[in-house]
Amino acid sequence: MIIAIDGPAGAGKSTVSKIIARKLGFLYIDTGAMYRALTLKAISEKINLQDTDQIIEMARHTEINLINTKDGQLKVFLDGKDVTLKIRQPEITKLVSAVAKIKEVREMMLKLQRKLGRSEDSVLDGRDIGTVVFPDAEKKFYLDAEFSERARRRYKELKDLGQDVTLKDIEEDLHNRDTLDSTREVAPLKKADDAIYIDTTNMTIKEVVNKILDSL
Ligand code: CDP
């Protein structure tokens, strides 16, 4: 069974997806982490992010692994190295949408996502899971929240991780990514027609989780 959870940044997708996967004993696949890992590698190798050909070539020679740990966390490995924390740095967040919009890169990630998702029952979160990656997913959800609430949540999350960010930085980043992700040509962020829409603005994590579990 595939559960697809899409939506913009800060809507609560990854927190909720992780809990649902753990409760159901499903694999949790964070597709955003894959684009983040590629972005980290491009920056580490000093590749010019405008140089699409070079990024595609780099992606062809990259191995990304997602490991679900026993305590319900997700570890992200890039070419064998644990990059779980590094891919959350603001520099990566700022640039990831530029890498994620490249058609050939998305084709490679799509293959990986389908392979993982078909290997066992899975919860996938991202932007295009219900529309492109698994259009036949048994269950689809689109999580959303008001902009100010999404910014507030992301600010708190990063502060808790010890990052030195301001609310204004976060708002700028969310605004830029919302625009880039929903207006790009390939697989833009969009609610699938058959996805259940959940406005999480005034909901707790527990309420969102229960709403999803109740609709399965
Ligand atoms: O956690 P947050 O929502 O901030 O971002 P994420 O899920 O880690 O995704 C980071 C970026 O990857 C997004 O802003 C998109 O540009 C891209 N992405 C995508 O294009 N398609 C997906 N299925 C998942 C993420």
Side-chain angles (χ1 to χ4, degrees):
M1 177 174 179
I2 296 282
I3 301 177
I5 303 190
D6 289 305
K13 296 182 308 286
S14 64
T15 310
V16 165
S17 303
K18 226 180 265 175
I19 298 174
I20 305 254
R22 199 176 60 220
K23 282 192 187 264
L24 297 174
F26 283 21
L27 185 67
Y28 166 51
I29 305 171
D30 175 353
T31 63
M34 298 177 179
Y35 295 102
R36 285 174 176 273
L38 289 176
T39 307
L40 172 66
K41 181 161 172 178
I43 292 172
S44 314
E45 297 197 346
K46 303 208 168 20
I47 294 175
N48 175 355
L49 293 187
Q50 312 295 338
D51 190 343
T52 308
D53 290 343
Q54 224 187 325
I55 295 180
I56 297 169
E57 193 51 28
M58 176 208 83
R60 284 195 216 289
H61 300 96
T62 302
E63 196 186 311
I64 295 169
N65 285 302
L66 302 185
I67 307 288
N68 284 208
T69 64
K70 285 210 180 67
D71 60 350
Q73 295 306 309
L74 178 90
K75 287 213 172 289
V76 184
F77 289 86
L78 171 67
D79 296 324
K81 273 205 203 107
D82 185 345
V83 294
T84 310
L85 280 180
K86 267 196 179 163
I87 59 168
R88 305 288 157 199
Q89 287 168 356
E91 193 193 2
I92 309 295
T93 306
K94 200 157 107 195
L95 298 170
V96 60
S97 294
V99 172
K101 72 171 195 220
I102 304 171
K103 181 167 134 268
E104 291 81 354
V105 166
R106 299 201 72 83
E107 282 164 4
M108 287 179 241
M109 294 306 110
L110 176 103
K111 274 196 195 138
L112 178 60
Q113 290 156 15
R114 285 194 180 150
K115 187 171 144 216
L116 284 172
R118 284 179 182 145
S119 68
E120 55 184 291
D121 291 330
S122 303
V123 178
L124 290 95
D125 84 351
R127 302 292 189 284
D128 60 339
I129 309 303
T131 50
V132 176
V133 183
F134 283 109
D136 298 331
E138 283 85 347
K139 281 288 166 186
K140 299 181 187 177
F141 299 90
Y142 188 92
L143 299 195
D144 205 353
E146 279 170 19
F147 183 83
S148 59
E149 175 60 15
R150 292 194 283 119
R152 193 193 64 79
R153 288 178 191 169
R154 186 47 55 95
Y155 176 72
K156 183 173 179 305
E157 194 182 321
L158 294 181
K159 277 282 180 193
D160 289 348
L161 278 176
Q163 287 186 16
D164 181 22
V165 285
T166 66
L167 187 59
K168 190 162 164 283
D169 295 337
I170 304 284
E171 286 173 348
E172 257 176 46
D173 169 64
L174 286 191
H175 181 73
N176 288 338
R177 283 198 295 142
D178 279 359
T179 308
L180 280 172
D181 292 344
S182 48
T183 59
R184 71 179 173 222
E185 257 169 60
V186 194
L189 167 66
K190 197 169 92 196
K191 179 188 161 306
D193 290 338
D194 52 350
I196 297 173
Y197 181 90
I198 305 177
D199 179 352
T200 70
T201 308
N202 296 305
M203 291 172 82
T204 63
I205 290 165
K206 206 169 165 196
E207 284 169 339
V208 180
V209 167
N210 286 339
K211 186 164 167 91
I212 292 180
L213 291 175
D214 287 348
S215 4
L216 295 179

